[in-house]
């Protein structure tokens, strides 16, 4: 079992930035692909970004790739989501996810509890 805990969310004004962190514990982290998802009010959960085990390959939702960047530090068992130029439409609960497969895939085995990001106008 893997535990994932998100942090770094909160309230920010439009145009501001936040960096979300996801700390993994319970199992080895470095061999896992990781992803970020979000669920906006009244909508289903959607893909945001993913990163393979080494950090050498990333994928992002096309509409977000100019503003959001995923990265990881395997020495700290942590994956990050840097969010810049935030808009009110980015308000959502953001979820960290882990896949035991080292390369990016469509399924995830473990999920964090989610963290609220609220962007005010």
């Amino acid at each position: 079992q893997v535990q994932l805990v998100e942090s770094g969310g909160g309230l920010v004004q439009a145009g501001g930035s936040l960096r979300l962190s996801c700390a993994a514990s319970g199992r080895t982290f470095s061999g896992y692909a990781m992803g970020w998802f979000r669920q906006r009010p009244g909508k289903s959960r959607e893909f945001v970004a993913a990163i393979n085990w080494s950090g050498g390959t990333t994928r992002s939702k096309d509409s977000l790739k100019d503003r959001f960047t995923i990265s990881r530090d395997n020495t700290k068992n942590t994956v990050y989501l840097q969010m810049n130029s935030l808009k009110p439409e980015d308000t959502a609960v953001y979820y960290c996810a882990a896949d035991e497969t080292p390369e990016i895939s469509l399924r995830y085995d473990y999920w964090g509890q989610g963290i609220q990001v609220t962007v005010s106008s």
Side-chain angles (χ1 to χ4, degrees), residues 2 8 14 22 50 56-57 60 81-82:
V2 173
C22 174
T57 302
S60 299
L81 183 68
Q82 179 68 45

Side-chain angles (χ1 to χ4, degrees), residues 1 5 7 17 44 51-52 54 90 109 119:
Q1 189 70 25
V5 180
S7 63
S17 298
S44 59
I51 189 167
N52 78 335
S54 69
D90 296 319
D109 300 298
V119 184

Side-chain angles (χ1 to χ4, degrees), residues 6 10 25 29-30 33 65 83 89 91-92 102 109:
E6 301 97 335
S25 63
F29 167 81
S30 61
K65 65 181 181 180
M83 304 185 294
E89 306 91 85
T91 295
D109 300 298

Side-chain angles (χ1 to χ4, degrees), residues 4-69:
L4 303 173
V5 180
E6 301 97 335
S7 63
L11 176 65
V12 65
Q13 290 188 326
S17 298
L18 286 174
R19 188 176 76 159
L20 303 183
S21 298
C22 174
S25 63
R27 299 287 293 272
T28 300
F29 167 81
S30 61
Y32 292 3
M34 301 292 295
W36 285 98
F37 293 75
R38 70 183 184 183
Q39 187 167 14
R40 293 181 283 175
K43 299 182 179 181
S44 59
R45 189 175 300 181
E46 64 182 329
F47 170 77
V48 173
I51 189 167
N52 78 335
W53 71 277
S54 69
T57 302
T58 62
R59 298 285 185 269
S60 299
K61 182 178 176 68
D62 286 345
S63 61
L64 300 176
K65 65 181 181 180
D66 292 335
R67 299 188 294 116
F68 288 16
T69 302

